[in-house]
Amino acid sequence: MPDLRPKALRGQLLSFSDDPQAVGAAASHRHLEDGVLLIEDGRIAGMGEARELLPALPAGTPVEHWPGCLILPGLIDIHIHLPQTQVIASFGAQLLDWLQTYTFVEEQRFADPAHCARIARFFLDELARNGTTTAVVYGSVHPQSVEALFTESARRNLCTIAGKVMMDRGAPPGLLDTAERGYAESKALIARWHGKGRQRYAISPRFAVTSSAAQLEAAGALAREHPDCYVQTHLAENHEEIATVRRLFPAAASYTDVYDRCGLLGPRSIFGHCLHLGEAERRRLSESGSVAAFCPTSNLFLGSGLFDLAGLRDPACPVRVGIATDIGGGTSYSMLRTAAEGYKVLQLRGQSWPALDAFYALTLGNARALGLESEIGTLAVGSAADVVVLEPRATPAMAHRMERGADDLAATLFVLLMMADERAVRASYVMGERVHTTPSGN
Ligand code: GUN
Ligand code: ZN
């Protein structure tokens, strides 16, 4: 059972209320140098200056003090694969070969429920170690993979979005369902898990290369029947992939159109990668309110391409954007490392991404991408107390760097962004309960 007694966290507090790009840096966030976060019943009950709130706390309220640390909403990852924890760091291939050579081999192991349970535990432990408190997750084709993840997530009181992958061609027989079976198994998982506590379902046709037209239609039917479920798939990641989709769906106007025709676009639809899109595709993603998931470590690792954030943000047809690890194409579980690589990708594009914008993206930005901003992603009263504590002097090199010029928030955040990894995650809290602690001085 979670610990629901009132408690307080003390430290530097940072919470966004809006996008720095929309309202300017100053109006986008609240930052308290010495603040207190009040937590009651697993939810945030207040945030204020320590000197004002501490004297008013009921006697005996535990205060967990994190001097020199930043306390932020828990980080959010909007695209990650549960069955790829042992695919990460597989050498030398680009997307389609990488899938066939490594990924589709590994994912077959998830036929075994015991393996699913072991990996689900490792996966959620690793997310906690990295300060990620909500993730949007692809299972394998096997319903038991998602069953195991939701079971473990519910036990830990986590807010998780996940779905079993639907794939009915282009992979080994052990990894294929059919249009009908994919529909039925997804529907059963929705009935069992969607809206149960903090769990939510994502209808997950893997991508147009491994789903027949009939299966994509079935996924669209599910989305119509369950409009409050998410949809997740991959889009325009790699040139060979795009050419394959053109060959498989000659009647479609574009890769995006393949999904659009089946009713898979919309404000709860998350499209991984979106690297090589035409103007008409961007317009449809924009009009439909769909979300593009920027997966920088994966895009670099698989040599897929450089995400065009400015292009997707074109004011004439802005596309909603979130950021994600895409483990195991991605190479780090850390959303901090992910954002650092995002910064470098955008540098290669000649685009600038201030640290404040990156931290917005990891918290409120990703929460908004999921339409969950009233539940996660901020330290606002009423939100779940899913919280991460970051230590800007976590390593000798970081402490050394912080001796010079890191005396304002943007500079400190930039040091965290460029240099931090899980060693800087001093603690993670889920619904007010501490689920991970890293001793100081690692
Ligand atoms: N496209 C289809 N499946 C996958 C996957 O597992 N990883 C990545 N990066 N792209 C995909
Ligand atoms: Zn992916």
Side-chain angles (χ1 to χ4, degrees):
M1 268 305 286
D3 179 1
L4 298 181
R5 287 170 303 174
K7 68 164 79 160
L9 307 185
R10 180 178 180 185
Q12 261 194 66
L13 303 184
L14 175 64
S15 179
F16 289 86
S17 53
D18 211 337
D19 184 348
Q21 287 296 316
V23 300
S28 69
H29 65 280
R30 189 165 175 218
H31 174 227
L32 301 178
E33 287 279 354
D34 184 12
V36 162
L37 193 66
L38 300 178
I39 298 173
E40 275 176 37
D41 289 339
R43 297 205 167 257
I44 293 167
M47 166 176 171
E49 300 285 356
R51 65 179 138 58
E52 287 166 16
L53 289 196
L54 282 179
L57 287 183
T61 306
V63 179
E64 299 185 12
H65 193 186
W66 297 101
C69 293
L70 268 159
I71 299 173
L72 295 125
L75 309 180
I76 301 167
D77 183 346
I78 70 161
H79 181 136
I80 183 168
H81 295 259
L82 171 75
Q84 296 180 14
T85 56
Q86 294 179 318
V87 174
I88 186 171
S90 293
F91 173 75
Q94 297 216 343
L95 178 64
L96 298 183
D97 288 338
W98 173 84
L99 285 171
Q100 294 291 343
T101 310
Y102 302 114
T103 309
F104 292 166
V105 176
E106 184 66 21
E107 292 197 6
Q108 293 181 62
R109 300 177 69 203
F110 288 75
D112 173 8
H115 182 69
C116 297
R118 180 174 89 85
I119 301 297
R121 285 193 300 274
F122 169 83
F123 182 83
L124 294 177
D125 285 350
E126 192 60 23
L127 293 186
R129 274 163 38 78
N130 282 279
T132 299
T133 48
T134 285
V136 185
V137 187
Y138 287 78
S140 68
V141 73
H142 316 94
Q144 54 268 38
S145 65
V146 172
E147 183 69 28
L149 180 68
F150 277 138
T151 300
E152 192 60 26
S153 169
R155 197 180 67 73
R156 298 175 189 220
N157 243 332
L158 283 161
C159 173
T160 296
I161 299 165
K164 105 168 193 98
V165 149
M166 303 166 76
M167 49 197 293
D168 65 350
R169 64 170 169 186
L175 269 196
L176 299 181
D177 55 13
T178 61
E180 298 73 26
R181 209 171 103 210
Y183 172 92
E185 289 176 348
S186 301
K187 200 154 179 90
L189 285 165
I190 292 168
R192 213 167 131 62
W193 287 106
H194 183 66
K196 183 169 176 184
R198 305 186 78 198
Q199 316 311 311
R200 292 171 169 83
Y201 198 79
I203 299 156
S204 308
R206 181 174 207 124
F207 69 153
V209 175
T210 52
S211 283
S212 64
Q215 181 161 75
L216 293 176
E217 291 287 352
L222 274 175
R224 275 190 300 281
E225 290 157 16
H226 303 279
D228 55 342
C229 283
Y230 294 86
V231 171
Q232 62 178 349
T233 188
H234 296 82
L235 172 62
E237 178 176 2
N238 162 292
H239 292 297
E240 209 185 328
E241 170 211 17
I242 295 166
T244 306
V245 171
R246 196 173 301 129
R247 212 166 44 246
L248 291 171
F249 296 91
S254 65
Y255 194 164
T256 303
D257 190 48
V258 171
Y259 296 137
D260 202 3
R261 287 162 168 236
C262 299
L264 291 169
L265 273 55
R268 289 180 171 266
S269 297
I270 305 163
F271 293 92
H273 308 295
C274 297
L275 298 180
H276 312 287
L277 294 173
E279 201 186 314
E281 297 183 272
R282 285 207 305 268
R283 191 166 342 101
R284 277 303 296 144
L285 291 173
S286 174
E287 286 166 357
S288 60
S290 300
V291 172
F294 178 19
C295 306
T297 72
S298 172
N299 298 159
L300 294 170
F301 178 73
L302 292 173
S304 302
L306 303 175
F307 191 78
D308 181 8
L309 182 62
L312 284 162
R313 280 207 181 131
D314 177 358
C317 67
V319 176
R320 295 165 69 212
V321 171
I323 183 162
T325 61
D326 191 30
I327 295 288
T331 51
S332 172
Y333 291 85
S334 166
M335 288 305 294
L336 296 168
R337 293 258 48 77
T338 299
E341 297 309 291
Y343 175 89
K344 295 171 197 171
V345 163
L346 296 174
Q347 281 281 61
L348 285 167
R349 278 260 181 207
Q351 299 173 21
S352 163
W353 203 38
L356 208 61
D357 293 48
F359 275 87
Y360 163 78
L362 299 180
T363 57
L364 176 56
N366 271 0
R368 283 180 166 176
L370 304 177
L372 290 177
E373 63 271 24
S374 59
E375 171 71 10
I376 56 173
T378 77
L379 302 180
V381 170
S383 270
D386 294 350
V387 170
V388 62
V389 179
L390 299 179
E391 157 82 87
R393 294 172 182 78
T395 66
M398 291 172 77
H400 183 69
R401 170 63 181 85
M402 288 287 289
E403 287 174 9
R404 303 282 300 153
D407 50 3
D408 70 13
L409 177 67
T412 301
L413 291 179
F414 196 62
V415 169
L416 274 169
L417 193 64
M418 285 302 117
M419 300 184 75
D421 54 29
E422 66 268 33
R423 290 169 296 176
V425 176
R426 291 293 309 283
S428 299
Y429 292 84
V430 173
M431 294 296 280
E433 191 179 9
R434 199 185 317 171
V435 296
H436 172 75
T437 311
T438 304
S440 179
N442 266 268

